[in-house]
């Protein structure tokens, strides 16, 4: 029987760590239908704008010290602690600048629904990638309020 060895999980603390996490998330979401739809299937627009989206949507997790990543770069989890919320104004301004008007309106409605669902406690910013699913280290399975977290999927 072969035992898989999970990569070590560490906090994302330095500017270089943040850059690496943003790159991993950009790669992870590159085949996500909604992320690609946002930028009309244009790879150049996606690669240009999605890293800014990650920083606007999950950037508070970096500042709060609640961003974690696999040391090998295979996964990232961005947590917003209880009482902390996505910077909606920054996300909206970015989407206004970078999306076609009809897509901006649809994404705004989608994010409003996400905020309504997550406003009851800590919110997990999805850090999933396409490919096989691997559970995070046991210490990352629950947020600060004790809510169960979604599995982190490795970036490919």
């Amino acid at each position: 029987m072969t035992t898989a060895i999970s990569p070590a999980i560490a906090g994302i603390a330095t500017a270089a760590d943040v850059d690496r996490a943003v790159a991993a998330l950009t790669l992870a979401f590159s085949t996500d239908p909604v992320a690609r739809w946002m930028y009309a299937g244009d790879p150049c627009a996606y690669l240009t704008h999605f890293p800014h989206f990650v920083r606007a949507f999950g950037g508070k997790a970096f500042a709060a010290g609640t961003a974690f990543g696999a040391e090998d770069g295979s996964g990232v989890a961005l947590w917003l602690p209880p009482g902390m919320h996505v910077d909606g104004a920054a996300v909206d301004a970015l989407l206004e600048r970078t999306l076609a008007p009809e897509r901006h309106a649809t994404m705004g409605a989608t994010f409003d629904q996400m905020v309504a669902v997550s406003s009851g406690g800590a919110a997990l910013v999805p850090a999933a990638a396409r490919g096989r699913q691997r559970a995070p280290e046991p210490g990352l399975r629950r947020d600060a309020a004790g809510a169960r977290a979604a599995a982190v999927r490795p970036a490919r």
Side-chain angles (χ1 to χ4, degrees):
M1 181 168 153
T2 304
T3 303
I5 299 174
S6 296
I9 304 296
I12 297 171
T14 68
D17 292 341
V18 171
D19 289 345
R20 185 174 181 196
V22 169
L25 289 168
T26 300
L27 178 62
F29 280 94
S30 67
T31 60
D32 179 79
V34 174
R36 293 303 298 274
W37 173 87
M38 287 170 58
Y39 295 103
D42 178 353
C44 186
Y46 173 81
L47 291 172
T48 299
H49 302 300
F50 197 78
H52 300 288
F53 173 79
V54 169
R55 290 175 188 273
F57 193 80
K60 287 185 177 181
F62 298 124
T66 55
F68 299 91
E71 288 182 345
D72 68 359
S74 64
V76 174
L78 304 180
W79 298 87
L80 297 179
M84 184 177 286
H85 303 283
V86 170
D87 185 346
V91 170
D92 194 49
L94 175 72
L95 296 180
E96 177 97 30
R97 276 191 333 271
T98 64
L99 297 183
E102 67 279 0
R103 292 179 195 266
H104 178 252
T106 301
M107 288 310 301
T110 301
F111 288 129
D112 287 346
Q113 291 176 359
M114 290 171 64
V115 168
V117 168
S118 69
S119 63
L124 171 67
V125 176
R130 304 301 112 205
R132 62 186 169 82
Q133 186 171 346
R134 177 172 60 210
E137 293 292 318
L140 295 180
R141 295 188 74 91
R142 297 193 179 272
D143 66 14
R148 189 169 173 91
V152 176
R153 296 182 198 158
R156 294 232 173 201

